[in-house]
């Protein structure tokens, strides 16, 4: 008999978000994390609007927001701003919150939903057949093997799971030296998201809120050997790019990183799947990595849960790769363009690019392109069916029907069927035949389709504007998405 247990490798933001999704859908789930200590080093700071919408649909957005600062506009280049305040979202800003803060909220959620998190447990081997996957684990008490129905590798850029299944990780390494330091500034800049660029590189300074700032320097060329960075080096580089070191007096942590642009050719290998940095890595320009990882997790969670419970149609799990691989590919492409533009070596070309961007970004349709990309709200999936509704595959508008907000109805982790017809026959059918899988909302709203079926991750599965035939068509859509199609 196939086990009903899922193992998630890695307790970064992707692994925690995925485990919480699985547990919400009542799947038994263990996270194996090789680090015995807490917390993960903070890398990500920017949480975008789509991630906040997804967190809202699980009741977690408020808690993450309370740990950060809202930034209504971010600097794309010197004097060039992306204005998030015009976003068509409940969250028209970029939230600046240390990655440890977001992970803290996700970990609390996992614990509340009884996810087992085993620290000091490293995945070192993977074997699978048609019925299960055997995971070899190196822990404090030696090696052991655990059997699961599925294994998801959320084990970061140097993923062991990816290597064990023989996935090709295709791309390149940037010729850039990334210098990270947590420094005390006696005279910090006033901007919450401070950024400067010149021919030497890019300098960012982001406050932790405890007197320390994260200094991130992107410098041309390879790192100077394996030498650890020094405070003097961080100070010198900051002055070189930003013109001042802002009274840098002390560093509590320093490290060097390399930046890569790579994507796994596939995200699914039988009973083993990849998500987050294990599936795609790219330059930190644009603050997309963690956001994309959480997007992978919310896309995969409900599909994998339905597959484990045996209620998923046979095609459903493969839509994870079909939907998320193109999203990762686009993130790699756009962040690569952004990174190459700000890292241009020629001072003249840099100045020209800045002037061109300043002029272009004043034009609203041009502004909309980076705003939509950076906020993640442009993410949609190929629509299902032959003659799909215009909303199919897009993120559902956060409407209120019959006094209940859609994001709140989604907190059950189930599909939501919105029925605006006067007869409510589609809602009656869903309530009678799919009560444990679908939440129904009824009411009148002229701006909405007659009936709309929203997936547990908030994207529209199916919709119709035909009030007369809505009930029959909804019955077919429910059967298709909930695995009861003949
Ligand atoms: C300087 C910098 C700034 C960034 N800023 C942003 C930003 O503003 N916004 C944004 O969205 N992204 C940002 N990113 C990217 C973001 O940090 C990553 O995309 C994100 O951490 C990926 O999450 P993850 O859970 O997929 O992987 P990770 O965070 O790498 O977590 C993987 C986990 O798996 C564990 N692990 C590894 N191997 C094993 C194993 N064999 N067995 C068990 N456990 C294992 C690791 O210990 C780790 O805890 C930034 C990155 C950098 C470097």
């Amino acid at each position: 008999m196939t086990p009903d247990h899922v193992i998630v490798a890695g307790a970064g933001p992707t692994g925690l978000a995925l485990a919480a999704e699985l547990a919400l859908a009542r799947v038994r789930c263990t996270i194996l994390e090789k680090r015995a200590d807490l917390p993960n080093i903070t890398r990500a700071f920017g949480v975008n609007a789509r991630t906040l919408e997804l967190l809202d649909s699980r009741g977690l957005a408020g808690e993450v927001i309370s740990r950060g600062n809202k930034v209504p506009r971010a600097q794309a280049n010197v004097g060039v701003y992306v204005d998030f305040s015009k976003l068509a979202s409940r969250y028209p800003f970029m939230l600046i919150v240390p990655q440890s803060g977001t992970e803290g909220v996700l970990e609390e959620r996992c614990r509340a939903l009884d996810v087992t998190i085993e620290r000091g447990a490293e995945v070192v081997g993977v074997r699978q057949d048609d019925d299960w996957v055997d995971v070899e684990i190196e822990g404090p008490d030696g090696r052991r093997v655990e059997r699961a129905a599925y294994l998801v590798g959320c084990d970061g850029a140097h993923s062991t799971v990816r290597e064990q299944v023989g996935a090709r990780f295709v791309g390149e390494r940037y010729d850039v030296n990334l210098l990270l330091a947590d420094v005390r500034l006696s005279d910090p800049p006033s901007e919450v998201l401070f950024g400067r660029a010149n021919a030497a590189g890019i300098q960012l300074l982001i406050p932790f809120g405890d007197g320390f700032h994260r200094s991130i320097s992107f410098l041309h060329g390879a790192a100077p050997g394996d030498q650890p960075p020094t405070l003097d080096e961080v100070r010198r580089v900051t002055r070189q790019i930003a013109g001042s070191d802002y009274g840098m007096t002390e560093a509590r942590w320093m490290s060097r990183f390399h930046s890569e642009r790579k994507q796994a050719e596939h995200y699914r290998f039988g009973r083993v799947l990849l998500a987050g940095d294990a599936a795609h890595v790219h330059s930190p320009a644009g603050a997309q990595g963690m956001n994309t990882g959480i997007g992978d997790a919310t896309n995969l969670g409900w599909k994998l849960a339905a597959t484990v419970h045996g209620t998923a149609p046979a095609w459903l799990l493969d839509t994870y790769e079909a939907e998320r691989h193109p999203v990762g590919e686009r993130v790699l492409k756009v962040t690569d363009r952004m990174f190459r533009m700000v890292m241009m070596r020629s001072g003249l070309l840099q100045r020209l690019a800045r002037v061109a961007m300043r002029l272009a970004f004043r034009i609203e349709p041009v502004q909309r392109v980076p705003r939509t990309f950076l906020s993640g709200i442009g993410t949609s999936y190929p629509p299902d069916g032959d003659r799909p509704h215009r909303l199919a595959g897009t993120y559902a508008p956060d409407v209120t029907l019959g006094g209940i907000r859609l994001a709140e109805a989604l907190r059950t982790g189930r599909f939501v069927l919105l029925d605006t017809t006067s007869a409510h026959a589609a809602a009656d059918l869903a309530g009678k035949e799919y009560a444990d899988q679908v939440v129904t909302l009824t009411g009148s709203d002229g701006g909405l389709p007659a009936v709309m079926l929203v997936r547990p991750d908030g994207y529209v599965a199916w919709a119709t504007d035909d009030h007369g035939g809505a009930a029959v068509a909804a019955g077919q859509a429910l059967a298709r998405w909930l695995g009861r199609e003949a």
Side-chain angles (χ1 to χ4, degrees):
M1 199 176 85
T2 303
D4 62 355
H5 181 214
V6 173
I7 292 181
V8 174
T14 307
L16 290 166
L18 176 65
E21 288 295 295
L22 291 166
L24 178 65
R26 299 178 314 282
V27 170
R28 217 158 47 82
C29 171
T30 302
I31 303 182
L32 301 172
E33 167 54 56
K34 80 170 171 189
R35 277 178 297 113
D37 56 322
L38 278 165
N40 199 355
I41 49 155
T42 270
R43 289 175 283 160
F45 279 92
V47 176
N48 69 20
R50 174 53 47 83
T51 301
L52 290 169
E53 289 172 348
L54 293 170
L55 291 171
D56 182 16
S57 70
R58 298 297 180 257
L60 302 174
E63 182 56 37
V64 175
I65 290 170
S66 73
R67 298 180 184 214
N69 284 308
K70 297 174 188 175
V71 177
R73 56 179 211 159
Q75 210 165 173
N77 205 327
V78 182
V80 185
Y81 290 92
V82 178
D83 185 359
F84 295 114
S85 66
K86 293 190 181 135
L87 272 178
S89 167
R90 197 177 177 85
Y91 303 102
F93 49 83
M94 181 70 84
L95 184 76
I96 301 303
V97 57
Q99 182 164 330
S100 53
T102 309
E103 285 180 12
V105 172
L106 292 170
E107 180 160 348
E108 273 169 33
R109 168 80 163 175
C110 282
R111 296 210 182 275
L113 291 168
D114 284 335
V115 172
T116 306
I117 304 178
E118 203 181 317
R119 295 195 178 271
E122 179 177 357
V123 172
V124 291
V126 178
R127 280 182 305 278
Q128 64 168 318
D129 63 19
D130 289 347
D131 298 321
W132 56 67
V133 48
D134 282 334
V135 182
E136 196 174 350
I137 304 157
E138 177 86 57
D141 303 323
R143 286 206 174 190
R144 69 178 207 274
V145 173
E146 224 167 275
R147 180 158 286 183
Y150 288 88
L151 165 69
V152 189
C154 304
D155 50 344
H158 307 288
S159 169
T160 302
V161 174
R162 187 182 67 226
E163 183 205 297
Q164 287 285 312
V165 293
R168 274 172 32 87
F169 203 39
V170 187
E172 57 167 332
R173 175 182 272 207
Y174 289 109
D175 194 16
V176 164
N177 168 18
L178 246 166
L179 186 61
L180 263 59
D182 290 357
V183 290
R184 195 184 282 285
L185 302 181
S186 60
D187 184 21
S190 54
E191 295 152 65
V192 178
L193 202 55
F194 172 89
R196 293 288 181 271
N198 67 11
I202 308 172
Q203 177 64 39
L204 305 176
L205 290 169
I206 303 139
F208 277 105
D210 62 354
F212 280 84
H213 275 64
R214 166 61 53 84
S215 162
I216 308 174
S217 318
F218 301 78
L219 302 155
H220 291 291
D226 288 332
Q227 289 156 278
T230 63
L231 179 61
D232 274 349
E233 183 187 358
V234 180
R235 245 196 232 124
R236 179 173 46 76
V237 162
T238 310
R239 275 200 298 263
Q240 196 184 352
I241 305 173
S244 165
D245 65 14
Y246 298 94
M248 208 176 274
T249 54
E250 181 192 342
R252 65 179 174 193
W253 174 83
M254 287 180 281
S255 186
R256 291 186 203 281
F257 271 83
H258 290 287
S259 189
E260 294 183 322
R261 172 177 160 266
K262 290 186 178 170
Q263 188 176 25
E265 263 187 329
H266 292 287
Y267 286 9
R268 181 178 178 192
F269 298 82
R271 292 183 171 271
V272 180
L273 298 112
L274 301 174
D277 275 18
H280 44 73
V281 291
H282 46 83
S283 106
Q288 294 296 306
M290 181 180 70
N291 288 299
T292 310
I294 293 175
D296 291 346
T298 45
N299 183 288
L300 176 58
W302 64 277
K303 295 175 182 174
L304 187 52
T307 305
V308 170
H309 289 314
T311 56
W315 48 267
L316 188 67
L317 194 54
D318 282 332
T319 65
Y320 166 61
E321 176 174 317
E323 292 181 345
R324 293 303 297 179
H325 197 280
V327 172
E329 208 174 308
R330 181 163 157 72
V331 168
L332 258 73
K333 200 184 276 176
V334 178
T335 53
D336 180 57
R337 267 191 233 136
M338 288 168 60
F339 196 53
R340 288 186 194 281
M341 189 184 296
V342 283
M343 288 300 286
M344 276 188 300
R345 281 174 186 270
S346 154
L348 176 65
L349 284 179
Q350 276 215 355
R351 282 194 293 278
L352 282 174
R354 247 177 256 152
V355 172
M357 280 175 84
R358 252 178 238 162
L359 291 173
F361 274 41
R362 285 189 200 146
I363 305 165
E364 175 48 27
V366 177
Q367 242 303 318
R368 204 177 300 138
V369 177
R371 184 195 298 144
T372 306
F373 171 74
L374 294 174
S375 65
I377 69 155
T379 302
S380 60
Y381 302 131
D384 180 54
D386 292 338
R387 290 171 53 221
H389 188 273
R390 67 187 161 80
L391 291 180
T394 66
Y395 197 70
D398 186 22
V399 290
T400 298
L401 198 64
I404 300 171
R405 193 158 69 85
L406 174 58
E408 287 165 6
L410 284 167
R411 289 177 190 170
T412 54
R414 298 179 186 175
F415 278 78
V416 178
L417 183 127
L418 296 97
D419 188 340
T420 68
T421 64
S422 50
H424 302 331
D428 289 348
L429 171 84
K432 209 165 82 199
E433 296 199 15
Y434 299 90
D436 52 344
Q437 290 167 286
V438 182
V439 173
T440 56
L441 301 184
T442 54
S444 67
D445 185 327
L448 281 178
V451 179
M452 180 164 78
L453 182 63
V454 179
R455 313 183 330 182
D457 60 359
Y459 287 81
V460 177
W462 166 90
T464 180
D465 290 324
D466 173 14
H467 281 245
V472 173
Q476 288 163 354
L478 285 162
R480 171 161 173 73
W481 281 90
L482 296 167
R484 296 202 204 160
E485 212 169 31

